[in-house]
């Protein structure tokens, strides 16, 4: 595809034509621009460093999630090395009490639902955090994957149950007791095979 540029007698300020149609001979150097978006020259988006110092001991970030607490506070949750940190806009890393010493070998997954952040890594108990307190979810299976659907917390890739997904009680991510026959609001187990 060839593109025909308008004829400019001199390089410099161009007011008659679109500013994105710069004759190649007029553009000898360019800083912070993109040439490959739409056959034109466009300004690169700017980014700023969010926090000036590393969370702790300059360890790598293994996970990053947004969490909106029920009190209206928006948090960025940072999983660095083996510890969870929170920040509410300032870029500071505040360690979340009770969320330390997680496995270095297992990947963490987190979701936001039912007013809490729910996390699992498949090897340690599922836990949740609401912006102030942490809760270990007793009875939840050790699934590697977590999701939310229809006011339930869902876990999958459960050892010994790889073709099943398990869902918490409706509107209660802490309820994992299966009652057969049960009510429509109790925990569920669905076979996908």
């Amino acid at each position: 595809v060839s593109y025909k540029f308008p004829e400019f007698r001199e390089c410099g300020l161009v007011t008659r034509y679109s500013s994105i149609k710069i004759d190649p001979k007029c553009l000898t150097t360019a800083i912070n621009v993109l040439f490959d978006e739409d056959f034109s020259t466009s300004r690169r988006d700017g980014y700023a460093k969010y926090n000036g110092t590393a969370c702790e001991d300059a360890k790598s970030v293994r996970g990053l999630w947004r969490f909106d607490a029920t009190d209206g506070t928006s948090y960025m949750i940072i999983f660095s090395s083996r510890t969870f940190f929170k920040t509410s806009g300032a870029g500071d890393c505040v360690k979340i009490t009770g969320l330390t010493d997680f496995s270095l070998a297992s990947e963490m997954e987190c979701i936001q639902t039912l007013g809490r952040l729910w996390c699992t890594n498949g090897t340690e108990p599922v836990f949740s955090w609401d912006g102030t307190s942490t809760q270990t979810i007793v009875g939840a299976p050790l699934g590697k994957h977590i999701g939310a659907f229809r006011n339930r917390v869902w876990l999958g890739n459960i050892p010994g149950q790889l073709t099943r997904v398990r869902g918490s009680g409706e509107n209660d991510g802490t309820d994992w007791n299966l009652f057969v026959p049960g009510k429509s609001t109790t925990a569920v187990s669905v076979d996908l095979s």
Side-chain angles (χ1 to χ4, degrees):
V1 175
S2 65
Y3 182 80
K4 185 172 174 135
F5 289 95
E7 285 294 322
F8 299 118
R9 299 203 188 275
E10 294 179 21
C11 297
L13 178 64
V14 178
T15 58
R16 183 174 171 196
Y17 300 102
S18 169
S19 62
I20 64 171
K21 296 179 180 177
I22 301 172
D23 192 325
K25 69 181 178 206
C26 293
L27 190 61
T28 57
T29 61
I31 298 173
N32 230 7
V33 293
L34 298 172
F35 294 104
D36 57 354
E37 284 190 335
D38 58 1
F39 300 109
S40 65
T41 306
S42 58
R43 182 173 58 102
R44 187 180 297 273
D45 294 332
Y47 298 97
K49 187 184 282 190
Y50 184 66
N51 61 337
T53 59
C55 286
E56 185 177 281
D57 302 330
K59 301 288 185 185
S60 63
V61 172
R62 299 175 54 204
L64 197 63
W65 301 272
R66 181 180 171 175
F67 174 65
D68 296 319
T70 56
D71 67 0
T73 306
S74 290
Y75 292 99
M76 182 173 293
I77 306 302
I78 305 158
F79 182 45
S80 178
S81 185
R82 301 176 63 190
T83 304
F84 276 84
F85 298 89
K86 65 181 178 179
T87 181
S88 57
D92 54 341
C93 289
V94 178
K95 193 180 290 189
I96 300 176
T97 305
L99 299 183
T100 59
D101 299 324
F102 288 97
S103 169
L104 286 171
S106 301
E107 295 297 320
M108 190 68 70
E109 285 191 17
C110 297
I111 57 153
Q112 176 177 333
T113 190
L114 305 173
R116 299 181 75 88
L117 184 74
W118 304 81
C119 301
T120 186
N121 64 4
T123 58
E124 292 155 319
V126 175
F127 67 89
S128 69
W129 181 70
D130 66 359
T132 56
S133 64
T134 305
Q135 182 178 9
T136 300
I137 312 305
V138 179
L142 296 178
K144 290 183 181 178
H145 302 298
I146 191 167
F149 181 68
R150 297 222 173 165
N151 297 323
R152 295 179 191 264
V153 176
W154 291 86
L155 294 167
N157 201 356
I158 302 163
Q161 302 177 31
L162 296 179
T163 62
R164 289 195 169 274
V165 290
R166 299 268 311 270
S168 70
E170 187 174 11
N171 292 321
D172 186 359
T174 64
D175 177 15
W176 292 90
N177 293 321
L178 291 173
F179 295 104
V180 179
K183 297 179 183 176
S184 62
T185 57
T186 62
V188 296
S189 179
V190 179
D191 189 8
L192 301 176
S193 60

